[in-house]
Structures are given as C-alpha cells and as structure tokens.
Amino acid sequence: MASGAAARTLGARRRVRVEHPAAARTRSAEDWWWDRLAPSGSGYHLLQSDSMLLVLPGPGPARPRSQRRAARRAQRLRSPGSRTAEAKPRTTPAPTPLQEPDPGWGDRVPLEILLQIFGLLVAADGPIPFLGRAARVCRRWNEAASQPALWHTLTLSPPLAGRPAKSGAKAEKKLLSSLEWLMPNRLSQLRRLTLIHWKFQIHPVLKLVSESCPWLTFLKLSDCHGVTPDALIMLAKACPQLHSLDIQHSMVESTAVVSFLEEAGPRMRKLWLTYNSQTTAILGALLGSCCPQLQVLEVSTGLNHNIIPLQLPVEALQKGCPQLQPSRRAMTPGPGFPSLEELCLASSTCNFVSNEVLGRLLHGSPHLRLLDLRGCARITPAGLHDLPCQELEQLHLGLYGMSDRLTLAKEGSPLLTQKWCHSLRELDLSGQGFSEKDLEQALAVFSGTPGGSHLALCSLNLRGTQVTPGTVSSVINSCPGLLHLNLESCRCLPRGLKRAYRGPEEVQWCLEQLLTTLPYPS
C-alpha cells in the first residue's frame, strides 16, 4: 500500500513538473509577442478580433484578467528567487526590455537591391520628392537615397503663380540655400538639369552647378531671366561633358549664347532656340562652323504670327553643321543634308513651299524617314516622286484649316504609293483634292503588291477626300496591320461610317459595314 501510494505521488509530481513549464512557456511566448508588437510606453496598443490583429494608437483597454495573471506568473518564473525557477532552468530566454524599436524589413534589404528599386522609381518619376521621403524611413533607406548615382536628373522650379516679386525673390533665395547643401552632397553626378521660372537667382544657381556638377550633359532654361555670358562660359568650362542646351522661351542675351558656343561648340550635339531679334547672331555663329558636330537644331517661333520670317541660308548651314539630322521648323528651305532623317515644314496656315524649294532642301538626303508637309498646298505628287529618299516611313500631306477654295484639284497620287508602298507606315492625305479614280488607283497599289500581308501601313488618314466604299474595303483587306483609319467628312461614304476608327476591332467593324453596303455585282 505504501509503495503504491508513493508511486502515485511520484507520478503526480512528474506530471506537474512536465506540464507546468510547458504551459508557462506558452504564456510567456504569447506575452513576449504581445510586448514585442506593442511595447509598453510606445503609445500603441493591440486590439484582437476574430480574423485580424490591429495595432492602434493610444493607451488602449486593460488586458483581460487571465492575461494579467499569466504575465505575473511568467514574471515570477523569471525572477531569480523563484522556487520554480530553481527547480528547472528556463528553456526559452525571456526577452530583455526593448531599448529601441525593431528596425523592420526595410533595414534588412541589401543596399544593392534598394538601389535597384530606387533607380526604377527615379527613372519613372524623378528623384524629387521620392528620395527625400525615402531618406526619412530608416538608416538603410537614408544611405540608399543619398547615393549620388540616383540624382542624375533634376527639375528645379521655385513657387509660382501670381505671387508678387518680393515673395518670388524670397522663395528663390530659400530654395537657393537648400541647393547650397544639396549640390555638393547629392548632385555630384547630375547629368540632366532643368531650371524653370528663375527670375532673380539664376546666376548663383548656375555657379553652384558649375562648381558641383562636372558630369552635366544637358541643361534646359525655361522662362529664366538674367542669364549672363559669364555664367554660361563658366558652365562650359566646368562641365566638359555638356553637349545639349535648351534656352527656348528664356530671356538670354545673344552674346551669352555666342560666347557659350565658342567655348563648348566642338562638342555640342543639340541646341534649342526661340526666334527673336537676337537669333541672327546665334545662327551666324553656327554658320561659322563653331558647332561642326551639331545634330539637332530647333528654332521655335512661338505663337506670334506677326514675327518677320527667318531668312536662313541653308547652304551655309550645311557647311557649318553637316551632321544635322532632324530639322523641325518652318524656315526658308535650301539644299539637303546627307544625314537628314526627319523634316517638318508643317504650318497651320497656307505656306508657299514649292516643289523646287523642296527639291533643293532634300537634295542628297537619301535617309529621310519622316516628311511632314501639312499646309504645303503647292507640293505635288510629281515633286515628291523626284525626291532621292527611297525608304520613307511617314508622309503627311494633310491640309488642315484650309477653305475649300484653297483645296485645288490634283492628280498623281499613285506616284506616291508606287514609290513608297513597301516602306510607308503612316500616310496622311487629309483634305487633298484627288479624284475618286485617282485615289482608287493609288490605294489599289497596296492590294496589288506581292506579299500584301507584310505591308507596313498601320495609319491612313483620308479625311475630307473623295474615297469610295470599294476603295476603303480593298485597303482594309490588303493591310491587316492597319490600326488607325480616318474617314471623317468623306462625301462618298454612307452615313454612320464617316468617322475615325482606332484599333483593329473598329477597323474590321468598318469593313463589315462597308461590305454590307456595297452593291452586288450583276
């Protein structure tokens, strides 16, 4: 009897010794996670519901009695004078009081990965304000956001909008004080800089750029005043990689631009100007071969229609800048350029560019890909057929804003499609006075081309022409890659179909409707 009682007593003690620490460990781990998620004194508390655990600000409600009792029991077990603690050592160490918050996952991401992620965001939206906000997240993010390689493109503009001059000058000074730290610490690898609406502090800003941004390649000054020759010369000397300058819509003295071109001319690739009374001096420097490597020249006339047309000797420009590729402005034409790829002579009003002028301009330009002659009513298909370019991809001949009296009857449109049907991707004949038969012959070239499924035509604008339903349906059948078709104001088409069609589904719907309206052959 005594031995049996002793055995039962020993078994009970063993059960107590086995089960009690496990329950204590469970309660201790739960309490440890509770304190870990919302430590005391942090200003947050936990609220547990059926399917979620919320971390809310504020002191929060008191814990249930069972949880308070479990916390006190776990504390007694952790105390050095506890009898239970002496009986068996702890298997799970109790968490030490938190000295600082958990840094979180952001601090565990490798710096190289963060730089890749930040680089994608900067490429999409620019460095500001993203990098400034990311630098406040944690130390690792601050380190990543501070890398100068991410600050390669920047646009700076002081606060705008109808504020008086005094407040504008004050805002520019405030931004300038920030740039005094930002330039040497973040923008040492800046490549592209755009300055907009600087009226008072443009000289100090350009001085900072010249001192801190030696890798600058592109500078744009939009609506900036007070740009001096000293500032541009200093910039040209301090930034040996600078090859693109955009000063459209800015008040920049011609002497400043000429001095800059004389210093940085041999490496200049792109130049954007606004035509005014001082542009002649700048173009004179270009004609003097100060920029032999210039590839892009754009002279904007703005919206002022009363300005005197620019008379430019293109022959001399060809000698001074033989590497010019795109020429996008309505200027007096001259001989062509061997490297010319794009030419835009478009105008919203009727201009008087003739076949002879166009031939002189494009003589020796076999690589032309884009030709925009919208508004050039005197250009004929015969004149276009004589051009030396054989791989033209975009041809725009639309007459927009013209009255019916200025739309002359023309013929010869088959000359255009016969020459470029294999390479044309976009064809615009809007408003042209070609007859029904002439258009039928021109567009029939696409259906008569061997291997018609490989035609490149994807956009066709026939707005206001005399195209017939049979001609349109034939083109759609022959050009499966057609994505845009404009049939607005086409008098020979039935009602309901005179509109623009975008996408292959709408183009096919147009074909189905045209086939239902065509008369059956007798």
Side-chain angles (χ1 to χ4, degrees), residues 202-475:
I202 186 64
H203 184 81
V205 172
L206 293 179
K207 183 179 179 181
L208 281 175
V209 173
S210 62
E211 294 174 352
S212 306
C213 308
W215 300 100
L216 191 69
T217 61
F218 172 85
L219 176 64
K220 180 178 181 180
L221 305 177
S222 179
D223 194 23
C224 295
H225 297 181
V227 181
T228 62
D230 295 338
L232 288 183
I233 293 175
M234 177 176 54
L235 200 64
K237 293 181 178 180
C239 304
Q241 306 295 327
L242 183 60
H243 59 69
S244 300
L245 178 65
D246 186 349
I247 55 173
Q248 286 186 346
H249 314 297
S250 289
M251 297 181 62
V252 183
E253 299 178 2
S254 60
T255 55
V257 181
V258 172
S259 301
F260 174 83
L261 294 180
E262 291 176 351
E263 180 67 31
R267 63 174 184 267
M268 289 299 294
R269 299 292 186 274
K270 301 179 181 180
L271 181 62
W272 292 266
L273 305 172
T274 298
Y275 177 53
N276 52 41
S277 59
Q278 299 183 1
T279 309
T280 306
I282 302 174
L283 295 177
L286 296 178
L287 299 179
S289 301
C290 69
C291 301
Q293 302 298 325
L294 194 67
Q295 298 176 358
V296 176
L297 173 62
E298 181 172 327
V299 184
S300 172
T301 57
L303 301 177
N304 186 6
H305 297 287
N306 298 324
I307 194 170
I308 301 176
L310 173 63
Q311 301 294 327
L312 180 65
V314 184
E315 293 89 345
L317 183 62
Q318 180 183 8
K319 296 179 181 179
C321 306
Q323 302 298 325
L324 276 179
Q325 294 177 359
S327 177
R328 289 182 174 271
R329 71 160 262 81
M331 61 186 178
T332 305
F337 299 90
S339 302
L340 191 66
E341 297 180 358
E342 301 178 5
L343 177 64
C344 176
L345 299 176
S347 175
S348 58
T349 59
C350 181
N351 64 47
F352 298 95
V353 179
S354 62
N355 292 335
E356 179 185 359
V357 171
L358 187 65
R360 291 180 57 223
L361 181 62
L362 296 178
H363 176 69
S365 301
H367 304 295
L368 194 70
R369 296 182 295 104
L370 183 149
L371 182 58
D372 192 346
L373 300 175
R374 286 174 287 189
C376 301
R378 298 180 62 184
I379 298 294
T380 64
L384 294 173
H385 186 266
D386 294 336
L387 296 179
C389 47
Q390 301 294 331
E391 301 293 332
L392 195 65
E393 298 179 3
Q394 300 179 45
L395 177 60
H396 301 276
L397 299 176
L399 299 179
Y400 296 92
M402 303 283 181
S403 63
D404 295 336
R405 292 175 295 176
L406 294 178
T407 303
L408 305 177
K410 291 183 179 181
E411 61 181 10
S413 58
L415 296 176
L416 306 177
T417 55
Q418 289 172 4
K419 183 173 184 177
W420 292 307
C421 64
H422 65 285
S423 60
L424 272 179
R425 297 177 56 251
E426 298 181 14
L427 178 59
D428 181 4
L429 300 176
S430 175
Q432 292 287 348
F434 298 117
S435 63
E436 299 179 12
K437 184 178 180 180
D438 199 79
L439 283 175
E440 181 180 358
Q441 295 176 357
L443 298 179
V445 175
F446 293 102
S447 59
T449 302
S453 59
H454 302 286
L455 290 175
L457 189 66
C458 59
S459 177
L460 181 60
N461 190 346
L462 299 173
R463 180 181 183 273
T465 62
Q466 302 182 35
V467 66
T468 60
T471 303
V472 175
S473 60
S474 176
V475 172

Side-chain angles (χ1 to χ4, degrees), residues 486-503:
N486 192 347
L487 301 177
E488 296 176 350
S489 304
C490 293
R491 296 185 294 273
C492 299
L493 296 182
R495 292 183 177 180
L497 298 180
K498 304 176 184 180
R499 64 182 186 88
Y501 300 90
R502 297 174 177 85

Side-chain angles (χ1 to χ4, degrees), residues 128 132 136 151 154-159 169-188 195 198 201 204-205 208-209 212-213:
I128 293 178
R136 302 180 181 181
W151 299 78
L154 188 63
T155 299
L156 296 174
S157 175
K170 184 176 180 181
E172 291 188 17
K173 282 187 176 181
K174 185 176 180 180
L175 184 54
L176 179 63
S177 62
S178 301
L179 291 177
E180 292 176 353
W181 178 90
L182 190 66
M183 286 284 182
N185 292 279
R186 294 290 184 272
L187 304 179
S188 60
L195 301 176
W198 286 82
Q201 302 295 329
V205 172
L208 281 175
V209 173
S212 306
C213 308

